[in-house]
DNA sequence: CTCTGTACCCTTGTATACTAGGGTCCTATC
DNA sequence: GATAGGACCCTAGTATACAAGGGTACAGAG
């Protein structure tokens, strides 16, 4: 039988040099810390799709027992970020294109609905707060820190959820965003980042002008445009994809 | 300190008569079976909000060890259906009204977006399939089986996701629906069920007529109407609610 | 009678041991 | 030499043992 992972059995001879920064805090639940560390590593693609997640190796790496590691893996498997094959192994899930399309659908319609609520409550203060976040995105581009850029991008979208007084739906949007986040960080051309900033600003401009319909149109264009970046999917990316 | 559960320490003297039907199948992962059984019991409110979920009692009840039970509880805690208080206990989560509002927002906009896609692909065959499901809902009302009614209601909404060729977003809608499902099954007046059927049919009629805008309007009315059923929240329901 | 301290039992969190099944590689046989 | 079979090691799934902290009830002191 063929395993989905292209790397197979290496890793024993190598040193366990997993690039997961981690410092154990005995005062907090260990399982939560392992979960957060693993999730951050997967979403930021420091752990590439297909990477083997052996429970025992994680135990050695984190210096804890299998129980909290398993707990973390179960949670990540529920989120679709890890595939567990009993008696075979656990692997960072490939990026499934069908899944990405579905998540884009969810994210797009939720963010547009949030935007409609935001438009009703738009104020100069909110505009200033949003533009301040965009400014930090610009700064992230200038220092060449794409990870920081994406972090600030999340902050901007989260702020909109707060503006709409729908803070509770942010986790759902974020989970939908996580899948595409891996695509962006893997393949997203860096030269598009300034364009993203401009599109963000164009939405804010429409809101400042009190034109909700225009803001809607511009956000929809922005979201679809980002998505189409990967329309001609280069063959080199195949190892990380599925479906 | 005050625990959220109103029942406290009883349960030892009583027999463990948890109303969770369960038959262990040793060929399937035990953890999955426990998860499914617990989730079904919670969503169908056979396990009321606030009920204590002691891991040890679950072990005795299911006849398994703590490990798979813990795995199931972790997953349900992630979904917000169980609250875990370390060193104190785990309890079926109360119905948080703020959460219900957010989930309704998510469900409404996603279902409306799905409807728009369905309208583009509407055929006589799909209409017949949908109406067949509605017919089973009518049958469920006639035999007085609200659990079956809700099961068929889920089937109808799932069918729409399939019609829209967006099967992948159904889990997200379903998770949003789960919260309100508990409200409906607890407090939903049975006399409203026939009205629900009529509203479902009115949407199908609009689709048959090829009027997507009318279908949109009627579905939005239907979803909001269901939600407003609980607008004057009787004080008797307070023990099961929070926020 | 009131208050405080302590012992016990409950809880979840963590660690470890054992089970069952799949992959691989080596060996023996044809 | 090619192929089949078996031993070994890996995996995740499950069971059990231990640790740490909170709740409660009871007993003793003031």
């Amino acid at each position: 039988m063929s395993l989905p992972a292209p790397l197979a059995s290496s890793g024993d001879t190598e040193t366990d040099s997993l690039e997961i920064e981690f410092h154990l805090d005995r005062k907090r639940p260990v399982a939560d810390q392992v979960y957060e560390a693993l999730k951050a590593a997967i979403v930021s693609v420091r752990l590439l799709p297909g990477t083997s997640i052996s429970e025992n190796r994680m135990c050695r790496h984190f210096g804890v027992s299998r129980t909290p590691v398993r707990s973390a893996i179960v949670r990540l498997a529920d989120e679709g970020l890890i595939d567990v094959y009993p008696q075979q192994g656990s692997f960072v899930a490939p990026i499934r294109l069908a899944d990405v399309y579905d998540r884009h659908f969810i994210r797009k319609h939720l963010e547009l609905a949030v935007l409609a609520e935001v438009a009703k409550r738009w104020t100069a203060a909110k505009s200033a707060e949003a533009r301040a976040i965009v400014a930090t995105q610009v700064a992230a581009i200038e220092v060449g820190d794409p990870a920081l850029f994406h972090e600030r991008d999340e902050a901007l979208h989260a702020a909109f959820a707060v503006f709409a007084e729908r803070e509770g739906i942010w986790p759902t949007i974020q989970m939908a965003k996580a899948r595409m986040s891996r695509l962006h960080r893997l393949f997203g051309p860096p030269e598009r980042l300034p364009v993203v900033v401009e599109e963000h600003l164009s939405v804010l401009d429409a809101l400042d002008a009190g034109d909700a319909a225009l803001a809607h149109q511009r956000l929809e264009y922005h979201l679809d445009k980002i998505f189409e970046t990967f329309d001609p999917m280069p063959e080199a990316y195949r190892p990380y994809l599925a479906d």
Side-chain angles (χ1 to χ4, degrees), chain A:
Chain A
M1 183 204 163
S2 65
L3 277 183
L7 41 96
S9 62
S10 69
D12 286 287
T13 56
E14 303 178 18
T15 58
D16 273 350
S17 60
L18 300 175
E19 295 305 331
I20 308 178
E21 51 186 286
F22 184 76
H23 181 62
L24 192 60
D25 176 7
R26 279 293 172 188
K27 295 172 187 172
R28 289 185 49 217
V30 181
D32 292 352
Q33 298 179 60
V34 173
Y35 167 78
E36 292 162 9
L38 269 179
K39 180 166 185 176
I42 293 174
V43 172
S44 67
V45 294
R46 286 196 302 272
L47 253 49
L48 289 171
T51 303
S52 167
I53 304 286
S54 164
E55 295 182 359
N56 284 323
R57 277 177 60 204
M58 293 300 146
C59 294
R60 291 193 296 270
H61 182 76
F62 290 124
V64 298
S65 77
R66 273 185 63 203
T67 308
V69 171
R70 271 189 64 78
S71 174
I73 289 180
V74 165
R75 294 169 67 182
L76 291 168
D78 258 7
E79 294 181 30
L81 290 176
I82 288 183
D83 289 338
V84 177
Y85 299 87
Q87 279 70 49
Q88 299 179 50
S90 303
F91 306 88
V92 176
I95 300 173
R96 298 180 177 85
L97 287 186
D99 190 52
V100 170
Y101 279 92
D102 287 333
R103 299 292 171 163
H104 174 70
F105 182 89
I106 292 171
R107 179 198 173 186
K108 173 178 163 180
H109 287 99
L110 288 184
E111 295 231 43
L112 287 174
V114 164
L115 177 68
E117 297 295 317
V118 169
K120 297 179 190 169
R121 299 166 172 79
W122 197 242
T123 63
K126 291 188 177 72
S127 178
E129 185 176 342
R131 290 178 188 276
I133 297 177
V134 174
T136 62
Q137 286 192 285
V138 174
I141 296 176
E142 287 173 352
V143 300
D145 189 340
L148 178 61
F149 177 88
H150 285 107
E151 192 265 322
R152 300 313 298 163
D153 190 66
E154 290 233 333
L156 181 62
H157 289 278
F160 263 63
V162 174
F163 291 165
E165 296 172 22
R166 295 285 178 184
E167 202 169 351
I169 79 165
W170 168 239
T172 300
I173 296 179
Q174 194 181 29
M175 192 171 289
K177 221 171 159 295
R179 307 314 205 285
M180 301 186 50
S181 175
R182 293 203 294 168
L183 261 185
H184 286 141
R185 301 200 193 200
L186 269 178
F187 313 136
E191 63 270 19
R192 256 201 58 81
L193 297 189
V195 181
V196 168
V197 168
E198 289 218 17
E199 291 174 358
H200 281 168
L201 288 175
S202 76
V203 174
L204 296 179
D205 289 341
L207 286 171
D208 283 342
D211 192 337
L214 182 61
H216 179 105
Q217 175 189 327
R218 285 178 171 173
L219 179 57
E220 184 170 15
Y221 171 84
H222 168 60
L223 293 174
D224 283 339
K225 197 63 177 284
I226 282 187
F227 191 64
E228 289 166 5
T229 303
F230 314 107
D231 206 9
M233 185 68 65
E235 200 60 26
Y237 303 160
R238 288 298 306 171
Y240 303 130
L241 307 180
D243 294 2

